[in-house]
Amino acid sequence: MENDAGFYAPLSYSPWLPWAGLVLLVLAAAWLAYVFLSTRQQDGSITAPASGPPSDPSGLKRDYLRRIDAVAAAAATGRLSARASHQELSLLIRSFVRDIAGIDAPRMTLAELREQNIPAAALAVSSLYPAEFGPEGPEPRAPEPRDPEPRAPEPRDPEPRDPVAAAAETAREVVRTWN
């Protein structure tokens, strides 16, 4: 028996199909170009939007002094570690500079902060760096040897000042003396 069905040639594609593929490629290329061009920075640098002076600088100062006091109190009660307190105080100083002068200090490195015309803030932030990035907790002290013979008491050094309290005072000074 012979097959009468015969041989069928492959079906041909519709003539609009290659054009539809080409249109999809052009649309994808246009979308990529739009995304690339719309997200480029124009001048190559990031600048914070310029903000005018605050409407109430004394109120802003009071607010930041209150926040600095809250950090110092949290450190004194043990709710914040010394490192966390120094980090928070550094952020408060930087945020104050941003809010009062419009300088984007929270995003700046210490070197960039020193390049700005704000030496008091740069000095205060640099004084916080050792405690902010140093090892956590105070160094253990070696026990003092006991003397078998009693001697007259020697004058003692004054009690070392709490480093968080000193850092908080430095931060308060930056806020108080800002022009």
Side-chain angles (χ1 to χ4, degrees):
M1 279 193 140
E2 211 169 293
N3 188 354
D4 289 342
F7 177 73
Y8 293 106
L11 295 175
S12 64
Y13 292 107
S14 175
W16 63 267
L17 201 55
W19 291 106
L22 183 64
V23 167
L24 285 175
L25 284 174
V26 168
L27 285 174
W31 178 75
L32 285 173
Y34 168 76
V35 168
F36 177 73
L37 293 174
S38 66
T39 58
R40 279 186 49 202
Q41 297 206 357
Q42 300 303 324
D43 61 358
S45 66
I46 299 173
T47 56
S51 62
S55 58
D56 183 18
S58 62
L60 186 66
K61 287 182 179 184
R62 277 192 310 273
D63 180 47
Y64 273 95
L65 289 171
R66 181 187 51 76
R67 291 167 70 184
I68 290 167
D69 291 339
V71 170
T77 61
R79 289 180 298 176
L80 275 179
S81 68
R83 176 183 282 170
S85 301
H86 283 85
Q87 289 171 344
E88 187 66 27
L89 289 170
S90 175
L91 181 62
L92 284 173
I93 292 170
R94 291 166 177 267
S95 298
F96 174 73
V97 169
R98 179 198 57 217
D99 293 346
I100 198 98
I103 299 170
D104 196 18
R107 297 178 147 225
M108 291 182 177
T109 64
L110 182 58
E112 292 170 334
L113 199 56
R114 285 182 174 148
E115 290 174 5
Q116 300 297 318
N117 193 15
I118 46 174
L123 184 62
V125 169
S126 70
S127 72
L128 296 173
Y129 264 38
E132 193 174 351
F133 297 110
E136 183 69 42
E139 294 181 10
R141 297 177 70 183
E144 295 182 17
R146 305 233 327 122
D147 247 351
E149 296 179 23
R151 292 187 284 168
E154 295 179 18
R156 291 189 164 188
D157 291 334
E159 186 68 26
R161 189 167 178 208
D162 179 25
V164 175
E169 188 55 40
T170 302
R172 285 185 201 101
E173 194 62 30
V174 169
V175 173
R176 283 187 204 118
T177 60
W178 192 273
N179 293 335

